[in-house]
Amino acid sequence: MLSAAIAISPDFVVAPVRRRVFGSFVEHMGRCVYTGIHEPGHPAADEDGFRRDVLALTRELGVTLVRYPGGNFVSGYRWEDGVGPDRPVRRDLAWHSVETNEVGIDEFARWARKAGAEVMYAVNLGTRGVAEALDVHEYLNHAGGTHLSDLRRANGTPDPHGVRLWCLGNELDGPWQTGHKTAHEYGRLAAETARALRQAEPGLELIACGSSHSGMPTFGEWEATVLELAYEQVDHISCHAYYEPIDGDVDSFLASAVDMDHVIDSVVATADAVGARLRSDKRIGLSFDEWNVWYQSRFQAAPPTGWLVAPRLIEDTYDVTDAVVVGNLLISLLRHSDRVVAACQAQLVNVIAPIRTEPGGPAWRQTTFHPFALTSRLAGGQVLRTEITSPVHTTARYGEVPVVDAVATHDPATGETVVFVVNRHRSEPVELTMATAGAVAESWTLHDADPSATNTAADPNRVVPRHLPAELSDGVLHVVLPPVSWNALRLA
Ligand code: AHR
């Protein structure tokens, strides 16, 4: 059996656990909104047409923040189509779909309140600009006494929505994006939109678009140019990353967090280099507002063609290996809590999501639901520097990588420590040891003898977290991490 060790001390603090890291994403795409969160006529629908079963699962998932309304969708979206009594039906060029606008920002904000989550709102900087960003801000956040704030009141929302986190567009470096721009064009637009939004409300937190993914030819250069133009106007820059096994290379896939670490470190280095050049004391935060496992190769093989309302798009079914990767990506995000201020798993329901639904039918938890829900519930207090002694193995994509990856949190208020740890090896268990003064209060493993096991509507609890046997002797914790497993231990 392989062996590994973890060393932590409550004195070595990285940063507070940021609750906004447990964010999600609701895009008007596929069945995320329609027949996902919203389905009037469903037996579980509430008075607003929201599915109560999905709301309950969203709360159980521990989602703190939800990005809305896109995604690629937002780059052609007219927010005013989704408010008031008249809802024009429009083409959605991003997903080759028909948007009924039955749900708009007022409905979504009501849903988010019920879910107990903060709204992160993305403005359209693809086909639109400063004026429309100001308009939607006036509608959402201005108290009253102006045309658009009074319109919101007339539409049934007397109090402002108070949205604090704003994304300045979406993935505008991507040639697939409606209104795609060069870094210079986008940087100027982001700076001017940010300046105007701050004139309206100085306390907003504004996020500039970073690269769509680290494989973009302009990765790094895009961030540098955009920040050179908008450094003093924005607070954060976005990162996006999706992972899947390429050509069946599961070992590299299991090491996806190595890439996420690299993306974060690279964007931090780029932002700090710009800050140094500008002689600024300000530090830019990272909003990792799209991340997940996504089998993009399947989507590329069969992109949408018809003009349909809420078609089934990228409804990936996740297995145990996918869940271990998702848990490991959360470890990476937590590890970087000094710079990652928010993160959104993309997306929440049906579309590459931890929650699946059938129209008129059940809602269920995918395998990936479990590491997210447990991490959100258990991570508390401060993130600790986590020293790991681990065996390594070689992957085709990332070279030599540690078999074990982990992060720990410690809450000085309760004295509790929580360790999140993965075993990326496909066949070998790992004996893990860690010195601790605590007693094991909870210990979970997400693992299955069949790493390709999935949850389905017919068998929704095929994969669930199970008890992980843990022993304490002479102040040393001993656990055996099964192969391909994500694990969490709470020490009281
Ligand atoms: O989450 C699906 C899509 O992935 C989003 O619309 C886009 O921003 C990204 O490319």
Side-chain angles (χ1 to χ4, degrees), residues 8 74 156 174 195 235 390 401 445 457 464 482:
I8 52 171
V74 80
R195 204 190 312 275
D235 301 286
S390 167
V401 302
T445 186
V464 290

Side-chain angles (χ1 to χ4, degrees), residues 25 27 29 67 71-73 95 170-171 176-177 240 242 290 294 314 346-347 351-352:
F25 179 27
E27 176 165 6
M29 172 181 181
R67 184 167 180 249
N72 295 345
F73 170 80
W95 303 113
N170 178 71
E171 293 191 351
W176 59 85
Q177 200 71 208
H240 291 181
Y242 293 101
E290 285 190 34
W294 174 7
I314 60 173
Q347 300 185 6
V351 176
I352 48 172

